[in-house]
Structures are given as C-alpha cells and as structure tokens.
Amino acid sequence: MNSLEYIEIKIKDVSPQDFDISDLMELLKNAENMLYPNEKKNRPTISYEVKEGSTRNLIRTLAGPVLALNTILNQINKEKSIDFIDPIQAKAIENIQLWSVKKGQNILIKTSLPNTANVEVNRKTQYYRSENIWIDSDLYIYGKITNMGGKTDPNLHLDTDDWGTIIIKTDEDVLANLKENHMYKYVGVHVQAKQNIKTSQLDNKAINFIEFVDYENTYDENYLNNLISQASKSWKDVPDTDKWLAEIRGI
C-alpha cells in the first residue's frame, strides 16, 4: 500500500466552527490544484480532516505529490515568488493570497514531512503572479500517447518529459484516418501552442495539432539545424536577441 502524507493549510485565530463552508470549498479546490495541477480525472483519492488549534485543514493523499509540493514551497520561500511554478499551482496560491487580504486572515501552508517547508500568507506577503507573457510557438513535442478521442472535443493526451501530460486539440478526421494505432506509443507531434516566455510552460488550453512526425530516439544534427533555421525566421527583426530576452525576463 502506498504511504500517505498531507498538506496543512492553517487559518490562524479562526476556530473550525467559525470557518464558513463556502471558504472551505474554495480552500479544498485550491489544495487539489496545488497537489494535482493536471490529470485530475485519474488522480488518487484526496481525503480531508479538520483539527482544532485555529483551523487546521489537513488534506491527505499519496506521499509523492506532497513531497513534490513541499519542494515547491521551499523554493517559494527562497524566491518569494510564484512565477516559476506550474500556472495552475501558482493560481491556487494566488487565490489564497487574495483570500488572506480580503478576509484579513493569516494562513500557513506546510506539509506532514519531517523537514516541511512553511509558507506564510498574510496581508503583507505578495504571492501574486507577474504579468504572464505568452507567445505563439511552433513546436515539435515528443512523448507517449496515453489517451485519444473525445465526442465533442477530440484531443490527444501526450505524456512528455518536459511538460508532463499535455492535451493537444485535433480534428475527428485526423484520429479516424490514422493508418496505425498510436495508443501507448511514443510519437512526435508538430503543434502550435501558447508558451510562457518566462517559465516555458505551455497553455494546456491552447495546444493545437498540426501533424504527426517520425519519432526517432536518436540525435540528428541536420534535423536540429533545420529546425533552428526555421525558428530563426521568427527572430529576424530583433537586432539583439540576447538583450531582448534579458529585457523580457526582467534581467
């Protein structure tokens, strides 16, 4: 049996009997998004428990996601920023920040792990996302197809090393006319997507299928140089690309 751990979201100086159900529902949704920002349909069970000592909300699930979130909380403490994390997780923490300001409540986020990170959220903290800068990107992405189809919104679910599982919108005709079964196979997919220039994250709601490409798990220098040549056309009007990127990133 897989071991369980929990994250704790503590609302200081508020007793459980004074903690409104609408606030609880909002808190639980944000907790789910912090633990499982993607693939909620197949996620493991998340259980809930409340304890005295202000209001201690314990959200329990498998140890792996809790450990991953603890690493992120540690980094948030160091960076004092949420710009570097998954956009869905960042939005969840921003929601808690907004809630803290609106309600005038001090909130502590930590885990059950021995060396837990402790992120304090209050009126003085500034856990807001910076203005996101999204650009249209033409990408070749490689991974394993874990799901495909859909009655109204056909799509592919591609498990990748760089972005986790991404959802690629496609047409019914593309899937209907496949010459071979791509399910659970490693493939290359040419897509158009929105990409955050600061974090390199992809907007999972704006990834569109163009075509399948041959998948070869080998290094091809000519192929790489050809892609660089194609991508360079998008930068032709930028006199100093290094300077431009530095300015975008606020360096």
Side-chain angles (χ1 to χ4, degrees), residues 30 33-34 37 69 72 76 81-97 127-130 132 199:
N30 288 321
N33 285 337
M34 284 192 287
L69 182 58
I72 290 172
I76 289 173
S81 170
I82 57 174
D83 283 343
F84 63 93
I85 66 176
D86 182 278
I88 295 175
Q89 292 175 309
K91 178 62 176 174
I93 294 174
E94 185 179 67
N95 286 342
I96 293 173
Q97 174 68 75
Y127 292 121
Y128 302 107
R129 294 169 298 166
S130 298
N132 288 324
T199 66

Side-chain angles (χ1 to χ4, degrees), residues 39 144-148 155-159 165-167:
E39 291 297 301
K144 182 170 74 172
I145 292 181
T146 58
N147 196 2
M148 58 194 303
N155 58 64
L156 307 171
H157 290 218
L158 192 69
D159 185 18
T165 298
I166 62 173
I167 300 173

Side-chain angles (χ1 to χ4, degrees), residues 10 14 17 51 55 85 99 123 143 166 178 205 221 246:
K10 181 178 180 180
V14 177
Q17 59 264 32
K51 289 190 174 183
T55 298
I85 66 176
W99 177 17
R123 284 185 170 181
I166 62 173
L178 289 176
K205 297 180 180 179
E221 184 174 0

Side-chain angles (χ1 to χ4, degrees), residues 59-94:
I59 297 97
R60 196 181 309 272
T61 189
L62 295 182
V66 175
L67 179 61
L69 182 58
N70 187 60
T71 300
I72 290 172
L73 295 177
N74 261 317
Q75 194 66 22
I76 289 173
N77 273 335
K78 292 178 183 178
E79 302 286 342
K80 300 302 179 186
S81 170
I82 57 174
D83 283 343
F84 63 93
I85 66 176
D86 182 278
I88 295 175
Q89 292 175 309
K91 178 62 176 174
I93 294 174
E94 185 179 67

Side-chain angles (χ1 to χ4, degrees), residues 2-249:
N2 292 319
S3 61
L4 300 178
E5 298 288 349
Y6 63 79
I7 64 170
E8 177 179 334
I9 304 178
K10 181 178 180 180
I11 316 299
K12 296 183 178 181
D13 301 320
V14 177
S15 64
Q17 59 264 32
D18 294 327
F19 191 54
D20 190 76
I21 189 171
S22 62
D23 290 336
L24 174 60
M25 292 169 63
E26 182 179 348
L27 179 144
L28 293 177
K29 187 61 181 176
N30 288 321
E32 180 190 26
N33 285 337
M34 284 192 287
L35 288 165
Y36 297 99
N38 300 297
E39 291 297 301
K40 291 183 176 57
K41 182 178 180 181
N42 298 315
R43 67 159 174 76
T45 298
I46 302 175
S47 62
Y48 171 74
E49 179 182 3
V50 63
K51 289 190 174 183
E52 296 279 355
S54 297
T55 298
R56 298 178 57 210
N57 300 282
L58 309 186
I59 297 97
R60 196 181 309 272
T61 189
L62 295 182
V66 175
L67 179 61
L69 182 58
N70 187 60
T71 300
I72 290 172
L73 295 177
N74 261 317
Q75 194 66 22
I76 289 173
N77 273 335
K78 292 178 183 178
E79 302 286 342
K80 300 302 179 186
S81 170
I82 57 174
D83 283 343
F84 63 93
I85 66 176
D86 182 278
I88 295 175
Q89 292 175 309
K91 178 62 176 174
I93 294 174
E94 185 179 67
N95 286 342
I96 293 173
Q97 174 68 75
L98 292 168
W99 177 17
S100 173
V101 172
K102 180 180 178 181
K103 301 281 187 177
Q105 295 171 343
N106 295 332
I107 300 168
L108 175 68
I109 307 172
K110 63 179 185 177
T111 75
S112 56
L113 299 173
N115 297 315
T116 182
N118 293 273
V119 171
E120 294 266 4
V121 183
N122 54 53
R123 284 185 170 181
K124 295 182 180 180
T125 56
Q126 296 289 319
Y127 292 121
Y128 302 107
R129 294 169 298 166
S130 298
E131 182 180 358
N132 288 324
I133 302 173
W134 297 90
I135 60 171
D136 292 318
S137 295
D138 191 88
L139 302 170
Y140 292 83
I141 300 177
Y142 297 87
K144 182 170 74 172
I145 292 181
T146 58
N147 196 2
M148 58 194 303
K151 184 176 180 180
T152 57
D153 297 304
N155 58 64
L156 307 171
H157 290 218
L158 192 69
D159 185 18
T160 72
D161 290 335
D162 293 329
W163 298 288
T165 298
I166 62 173
I167 300 173
I168 303 172
K169 297 179 182 179
T170 185
D171 294 324
E172 185 176 314
D173 290 343
V174 170
L175 302 181
N177 294 317
L178 289 176
K179 294 181 180 180
E180 58 180 290
N181 183 9
H182 285 59
M183 194 67 175
Y184 300 119
K185 293 182 180 178
Y186 285 88
V187 299
V189 187
H190 183 193
V191 302
Q192 288 234 335
K194 295 283 187 183
Q195 187 171 25
N196 190 296
I197 200 167
K198 288 187 174 181
T199 66
S200 295
Q201 288 288 332
L202 301 181
D203 182 350
N204 227 4
K205 297 180 180 179
I207 307 175
N208 297 299
F209 176 89
I210 297 176
E211 62 181 344
F212 285 109
V213 296
D214 292 335
Y215 175 78
E216 290 187 23
N217 194 19
T218 57
Y219 174 72
D220 186 336
E221 184 174 0
N222 290 332
Y223 178 65
L224 178 61
N225 288 336
N226 183 48
L227 291 182
I228 292 173
S229 177
Q230 292 182 40
S232 297
K233 296 175 183 177
S234 300
W235 303 77
K236 64 181 181 179
D237 295 327
V238 180
D240 187 335
T241 55
D242 290 336
K243 181 180 178 182
W244 181 76
L245 281 173
E247 290 175 352
I248 290 296
R249 291 170 177 165

